[in-house]
Amino acid sequence: KNEVEQSPQNLTAQEGEFITINCSYSVGISALHWLQQHPGGGIVSLFMLSSGKKKHGRLIATINIQEKHSSLHITASHPRDSAVYICAVPLLSGGGADGLTFGKGTHLIIQP
Amino acid sequence: NAGVMQNPRHLVRRRGQEARLRCSPMKGHSHVYWYRQLPEEGLKFMVYLQKENIIDESGMPKERFSAEFPKEGPSILRIQQVVRGDSAAYFCASSPQGWAEQFFGPGTRLTVL
């Protein structure tokens, strides 16, 4: 069974700072997901990636399959980026269809 | 194209009652996943369904919980004889194929009094 570790657990930064959130997982995967959850709110899928790098606006996600590690970066951070960011991978290795297992999340606060 | 729909958004039940949570996947999606988020805890997988089939229910409690995804209509997560420990946010997600990106609904927040 796959296990996911995220760091940091909590992060407070000033508006405009470059933010990095890290995720490590224990067994090989087909793809990794980055999700965003606002307090009391729903979950938004930000990225699903299986190799290399993806960019969407100010968000960048990278993955190193060999090292079983992914990072989520936010450039020019803004208070509206304040949320919980969650890394998720398939429960089981093998690449087949599967439910997800999740990291505990990174609570990000961007102060104006 | 409407997103994943869940209803009700909030549900209050007394101990011993039944809770029925509904999930309508995105159009064209035949794979549905249910997840639970207990207060102050992370998300946990419960069950994975395709139309008329349960593929993986390894995350579902053995008693009182059941799920279905009929040929027509939404997926239903049913909790019988609810207890206070069932209070949580229940999210469903859907995907067009089993290995594809999952899109999440807004969640149902269940409170058991």
Side-chain angles (χ1 to χ4, degrees):
Chain A
K1 235 178 185 181
N2 223 332
E3 293 183 357
V4 182
E5 295 285 335
Q6 265 187 256
S7 64
Q9 191 173 346
N10 296 287
L11 178 56
T12 299
Q14 295 297 122
E15 183 173 355
E17 285 190 40
F18 182 81
I19 303 299
T20 296
I21 299 169
N22 295 301
C23 174
S24 297
Y25 51 92
S26 57
V27 298
I29 58 170
S30 53
L32 177 144
H33 304 248
W34 281 103
L35 310 168
Q36 180 194 57
Q37 184 176 30
H38 286 280
I43 297 168
V44 175
S45 176
L46 298 174
F47 295 103
M48 175 176 140
L49 68 166
S50 54
S51 65
K53 177 177 169 177
K54 281 192 176 180
K55 185 174 189 291
H56 185 254
R58 295 180 295 104
L59 300 177
I60 303 166
T62 64
I63 189 168
N64 185 318
I65 294 292
Q66 287 73 30
E67 294 188 4
K68 299 188 180 65
H69 180 269
S70 175
S71 293
L72 177 69
H73 306 284
I74 305 175
T75 62
S77 59
H78 190 277
R80 65 174 173 265
D81 297 326
S82 299
V84 178
Y85 292 84
I86 304 167
C87 169
V89 299
L91 263 170
L92 303 169
S93 62
D98 208 353
L100 299 174
T101 186
F102 302 84
K104 287 183 164 55
T106 294
H107 295 246
L108 174 65
I109 297 173
I110 304 296
Q111 294 177 335
Chain B
N1 188 9
V4 178
M5 311 279 282
Q6 286 189 252
N7 66 80
R9 296 288 302 275
H10 300 271
L11 181 61
V12 179
R13 285 286 177 267
R14 296 192 180 279
R15 279 178 297 169
Q17 291 184 319
E18 179 179 288
R20 279 184 183 241
L21 288 60
R22 293 174 195 79
C23 169
S24 297
M26 287 179 70
K27 188 176 179 182
H29 288 194
S30 58
H31 297 248
V32 165
Y33 308 80
W34 284 94
Y35 300 97
R36 178 165 69 172
Q37 188 173 41
L38 292 165
E40 306 304 321
E41 291 191 23
L43 286 152
K44 295 278 194 287
F45 166 76
M46 298 184 75
V47 62
Y48 164 33
L49 310 105
Q50 291 180 37
K51 283 282 186 183
E52 300 184 277
N53 288 305
I54 296 175
I55 307 302
D56 181 358
E57 56 182 348
S58 60
M60 199 119 86
K62 294 284 185 284
E63 296 178 358
R64 302 187 298 108
F65 285 72
S66 63
E68 63 176 7
F69 188 15
K71 189 176 178 182
E72 302 289 338
S75 175
I76 306 283
L77 179 67
R78 183 180 176 212
I79 312 172
Q80 295 179 290
Q81 298 176 314
V82 295
V83 300
R84 289 221 175 102
D86 297 332
S87 295
Y90 292 83
F91 291 94
C92 83
S94 74
S95 68
Q97 293 97 21
W99 43 261
E101 186 172 7
Q102 295 182 24
F103 295 87
F104 285 77
T108 294
R109 278 144 185 90
L110 172 66
T111 301
V112 179
L113 301 177

